Amino acid sequence: MSRTEWNHKPDLPIRVMPLWQWPPKPLAVLRWYWDSWFPISIHLVIVGLAFASYAWASPTLEQAARPGWWIAEIWLRNLVLITLVAHGLHLVFHGHQMQGTEHKYDPRPFPRAGRMFTFGHQLRDNMVWTLASGVTIWSGWEALIWWAMANGYAPTMVWADSPVWFIAVFLLIPIWESFYFYWIHRALHSRVLYRFHALHHRNTDIGPWSGLSMHPVEHVMYFGTVIIHFVVPTHPVHLIFHLMFYAIYAVTTHTGFEGFWASGRKRLHLGNFHHQLHHRYFEVNYGTLDMPWDTAFGTFHDGTDEGQAMMRQRLKERRRP
Ligand SMILES: [Zn+2]
Ligand SMILES: [Zn+2]
């Protein structure tokens, strides 16, 4: 890869979760999970936000039994939350460039103007699709499951039933995400569905608002992850966390930077070179790093020159009649 292609690269090669590496490395697996949660991580922040939302900006199960103003409350809470997170990160990294361009992956300026964007501008395009479609469909799914839980169509549980399961659900959701996201994303790259996914790929360079900038059809599929609550017994706070994780994680993995630096040290990992490669080259890295799908199907790009050469070779072979 030439120097001008990337302004910054993280430590390479990118590696998938050690659980899928051979020979087995149990300590590395524990370390991977520990690092993705502690001492401070986006995961933990979202758990906090989910509990706060449950306490102060959600219906009770009794209220949720019938449609009402509580649906608007959920929509408004999600709208305010995503605006604060996405715009806060946008201002820090791109608006005020508080970190300059150090640790920004793509050398091109962000955001850009262009005819392919709604209203001719990347940022406005991203904001409109995130807020009008993204927040509405996210809230719609949340309201549906609240209603289903309240009426006994979806199984529920409380802390006293099983504290172990109550905690385990939080830990399992990010792993489930790595599984679910790969498969719907792969389907979205098929001939039939790519017309919807193309909207997200208007962003060849990305910023926080790009994360949830999707076509409504993609939003329905993306947040459709919560149908699992019809099968698995959960508490409403798990439901809030589940959807919030999908929404906020999309924003924080699309910053376009490796992370937040202060006094010469990375304080918070924000952004994802693995997915940044997907936005640049489209046909690599469909999944995330917790599951080995891309390595299994030969679409993994580890960010190195060898990874680049493998991708070129694969695409060349595909084009041959
Ligand atoms: Zn993306
Ligand atoms: Zn894609």
Side-chain angles (χ1 to χ4, degrees):
M1 231 178 294
S2 68
R3 225 159 250 287
T4 49
E5 232 167 309
W6 297 106
N7 173 60
H8 168 73
K9 287 192 223 169
D11 286 341
L12 296 173
I14 301 168
R15 290 187 193 281
V16 292
M17 156 66 160
L19 186 62
W20 315 107
Q21 290 169 18
W22 192 260
K25 299 180 194 121
L27 278 178
V29 173
L30 284 178
R31 174 95 221 200
W32 174 285
Y33 278 116
W34 181 266
D35 286 348
S36 59
W37 282 87
F38 305 107
I40 174 82
S41 65
I42 300 299
H43 292 34
L44 273 186
V45 172
I46 302 172
V47 170
L49 288 170
F51 274 99
S53 303
Y54 177 69
W56 296 308
S58 295
T60 60
L61 276 177
E62 243 162 51
Q63 291 167 325
R66 318 210 171 298
W69 281 106
W70 58 271
I71 298 174
E73 185 188 10
I74 288 175
W75 180 82
L76 189 66
R77 169 247 281 164
N78 292 341
L79 184 93
V80 169
L81 184 71
I82 211 68
T83 303
L84 289 176
V85 175
H87 212 59
L89 290 174
H90 173 77
L91 290 177
V92 167
F93 285 114
H94 302 280
H96 298 301
Q97 291 204 327
M98 286 163 73
Q99 211 171 282
T101 54
E102 228 179 307
H103 309 109
K104 181 180 187 298
Y105 293 132
D106 198 297
R108 296 170 294 174
F110 176 92
R112 279 172 300 147
R115 290 231 317 266
M116 69 284 224
F117 297 115
T118 313
F119 306 120
H121 194 268
Q122 190 172 13
L123 184 62
R124 263 171 276 163
D125 172 284
N126 287 177
M127 289 170 108
V128 165
W129 291 103
T130 298
L131 297 176
S133 170
V135 170
T136 306
I137 290 165
W138 160 17
S139 309
W141 272 115
E142 191 183 326
L144 175 74
I145 309 286
W146 268 103
W147 173 85
M149 283 176 164
N151 288 286
Y153 304 130
T156 52
M157 60 96 59
V158 290
W159 169 265
D161 293 337
S162 167
V164 174
W165 177 246
F166 194 94
I167 293 169
V169 173
F170 288 106
L171 302 173
L172 290 171
I173 284 170
I175 301 173
W176 163 252
E177 188 263 356
S178 195
F179 172 80
Y180 180 84
F181 177 69
Y182 174 84
W183 289 104
I184 58 146
H185 190 193
R186 199 72 194 74
L188 284 160
H189 275 266
S190 68
R191 210 179 280 274
V192 182
L193 292 175
Y194 189 74
R195 75 193 73 169
F196 304 116
H197 187 49
L199 195 150
H200 184 65
H201 276 291
R202 289 173 185 174
N203 299 280
T204 54
D205 182 21
I206 50 181
W209 282 104
S210 310
L212 272 185
S213 181
M214 303 172 186
H215 188 281
V217 170
E218 182 170 355
H219 280 134
V220 170
M221 292 172 70
Y222 183 70
F223 289 118
T225 171
V226 287
I227 55 170
I228 197 167
H229 291 268
F230 279 110
V231 185
V232 179
T234 52
H235 186 274
V237 78
H238 293 134
L239 166 70
I240 300 172
F241 172 75
H242 190 171
L243 285 162
M244 230 171 235
F245 182 78
Y246 271 60
I248 293 180
Y249 204 55
V251 170
T252 59
T253 49
H254 283 76
T255 57
F257 281 74
E258 184 180 338
F260 182 66
W261 253 258
S263 330
R265 266 183 57 201
K266 180 158 77 175
R267 302 292 164 164
L268 195 57
H269 186 78
L270 289 162
N272 184 333
F273 192 57
H274 180 257
H275 191 65
Q276 186 103 21
L277 286 160
H278 177 71
H279 275 271
R280 176 70 75 81
Y281 302 120
F282 299 78
E283 305 300 334
V284 287
N285 299 353
Y286 299 108
T288 52
L289 295 171
D290 281 320
M291 291 258 170
W293 303 117
D294 282 301
T295 26
F297 296 113
T299 52
F300 189 65
H301 188 328
D302 65 2
T304 62
D305 291 342
E306 294 82 73
Q308 183 79 355
M310 264 170 63
M311 174 190 76
R312 290 253 147 87
Q313 182 63 24
R314 184 167 54 83
L315 295 181
K316 213 160 75 186
E317 272 163 25
R318 224 176 51 168
R319 258 178 240 121
R320 260 182 224 148

